[in-house]
Amino acid sequence: MKIFYLRLLFCATSFFLAIGSQAQYRQTIANETVLLRNVNNLLPFKRLDQHKIAIVTSMPEKYKAFIEVAQRYAEVRSYDFNRYDENTKYCNTIIVAGTSQDLRSDLLLMVKQSLINKKQVVLVRFDDGGNRQPWNNRVLGEGAVEVAVPSMQTQAQVNAAMSLFGGLAITQGSNKTEQTRIQYAGGANFGLDVSRMEKKIDAIAAEAIRERAAPGMVVMAIKSGQVIFEKAYGHHTYAGNVPTRVSDIFDLASVSKIAGTTPVVMHLQETGVIHLDSTMGRYLWQAKETNKKDIPLRRVLLHEAGFTPYIPFYRYLKKGDLQRQPDVDHQVKVADSAYLRNNYYRDVMWPEMLASPVKPVGNYVYSDISMYVMKEIAEHETAEPMEEYVQKLLYRPIGMKTAGYNPRTRFPRERIVPTEHDTSFRKVLLQGYVHDQGAAMAGGVAGHAGLFATANDLAIFGQLLLNRGEYGGVRYFKPETVDLFTSKQSRTSRRGLGFDRADPDPKKEYPSKLANEAVYGHTGYTGTCIWVDPKHQLIYIFLSNRVHPQVTTKLLDLNIRSRIQDAIYETINEAKR
């Protein structure tokens, strides 16, 4: 058996190495931004969790395009020079942007104090008459990183912001940089007929909304590191009061498996903390006396452990387990005005999962229990809650600003797209509380569900995978780790480790009739998906709330997700002719 898996790994690794071990970014934009001075090689910014960034300008509205693009990459606050000292006190990276006329000496004296306080200062000079020499500034001296941008036009502002964060390579002058992050450009740069593609996608989205497959959705596509399509459709609900925005936060459902739990498992595996051919009993004391003690982790990740597919725990609640108001014994908030008895997951759910029947190991049976198990193992090995560990390991460093669990603790309700009006369990509209009942009863954090995010966050994660573990100039996973988990690892299914993959049977047209066998990703019950295609250096993301107001199969019946993916492939294939 081990020889079989080693062969699979060798084949997968050989395939990916043939594609290339580095990010296959394609820069088609003429970037006139010049990096005049790069103190300590600060630019482009690397780990974003190490930067608390403020952009200071004389008039934020004047630099709106620059600020908005910077905010796509990182948590960035914007201020004018009023109360400069107070506003920047808790920031360690200050981006000061303006023309020579804007950046008067009295204002720069305040900026100099930031340098004295050992803060990192980036001076971005717009429309400076083509001056490509470091500013001979007696006020600031040479302590600041200095960038020159020869225009105040919107595209110049966008390019400057992308240049700071590595979304666009700086190719002019002596201080050159490389692209290290997603670029917010346009598909026309690849010779793609984006307008025609948009019309196709618009029609499919309109059909989905008209047929009540989902009230709204966001579609995003990234090719070779460039965003070629990003658009929101419809509304949060069929009432049509709140239009869907590309910045909206969605319940990702089972996409949580690959964007939440699996990255933690990948890290633990490659650092030798866990071993995929070791058993559940090795890592979980409570499993040692159960029928699951000898099941290898590899089988768990492949959904070949013989677990029960699904246990509807919410149907077994007893009187007094759930109530409308919190009290000392009911602190687990599963929705607005719905509180579960404390430790219900620990005392009832997890023991029942461990005691559940097991069928013979080896056959593919998709089961949520698999990722409950992997979350438990990860938390025992890291000694940290998974929702905190994955933030520290991945989300904050690479700039996934909204990704996480229990979003109502971090974001206003209005920014989160509602899912089902739950009539059987919580009896309330779910907005910012996980749709999956089991995940909700586990406190909103489960291995198989519970993750919320924007499309942009998933795009960043997808690009990290396409780059085989590297993003923003920092390596987070070994290339061979990404190859192992995302490649086919089963004799009985199409699955990778945690990841789903394109079905090799062309008749199934999954996830798309034009997808190739290298494609990997996952779908989510709420009407979501992300698919990564190394062959075409393509990431496709679809987010919706197809379960609103009640669960419906229309999104599947109309094949909406696959047809939109087909439209993207058709556009790419047409450009090759």
Side-chain angles (χ1 to χ4, degrees), residues 87-116:
N87 287 335
T88 62
K89 179 167 63 174
Y90 298 118
C91 298
N92 62 7
T93 304
I94 319 296
I95 301 171
V96 179
T99 63
S100 297
Q101 291 73 29
D102 291 336
L103 301 175
R104 305 189 315 264
S105 294
D106 58 322
L107 301 180
L108 291 178
L109 281 172
M110 292 188 284
V111 179
K112 185 177 182 179
Q113 184 63 51
S114 296
L115 288 169
I116 293 171

Side-chain angles (χ1 to χ4, degrees), residues 27 46 106 142 190 199 214 216 263 295 333 387 449 453 553:
Q27 179 146 321
K46 296 179 178 63
D106 58 322
E142 297 182 356
F190 287 146
K199 289 178 182 177
I295 297 176
K333 192 173 184 182
E387 66 269 31
T553 62

Side-chain angles (χ1 to χ4, degrees), residues 28-45:
T28 57
I29 297 174
N31 184 17
E32 295 186 335
T33 305
V34 180
L35 180 55
L36 302 176
R37 183 185 290 121
N38 197 12
V39 179
N40 297 324
N41 290 314
L42 179 64
L43 298 184
F45 297 121

Side-chain angles (χ1 to χ4, degrees), residues 186-229:
N189 295 305
F190 287 146
L192 303 177
D193 190 343
V194 175
S195 178
R196 184 179 178 187
M197 179 176 74
E198 183 175 15
K199 289 178 182 177
K200 290 182 181 179
I201 296 174
D202 286 353
I204 298 168
E207 178 187 353
I209 296 167
R210 183 177 64 251
E211 297 296 324
R212 297 180 75 87
M217 59 209 70
V218 171
V219 179
M220 191 172 185
I222 301 90
K223 177 165 174 52
S224 302
Q226 284 192 21
V227 175
I228 61 171
F229 190 83

Side-chain angles (χ1 to χ4, degrees), residues 425-439:
F425 168 30
R426 289 159 281 187
K427 303 187 186 321
V428 68
L429 175 67
L430 304 177
Q431 189 165 6
Y433 293 94
V434 59
H435 177 264
D436 183 272
Q437 298 94 340

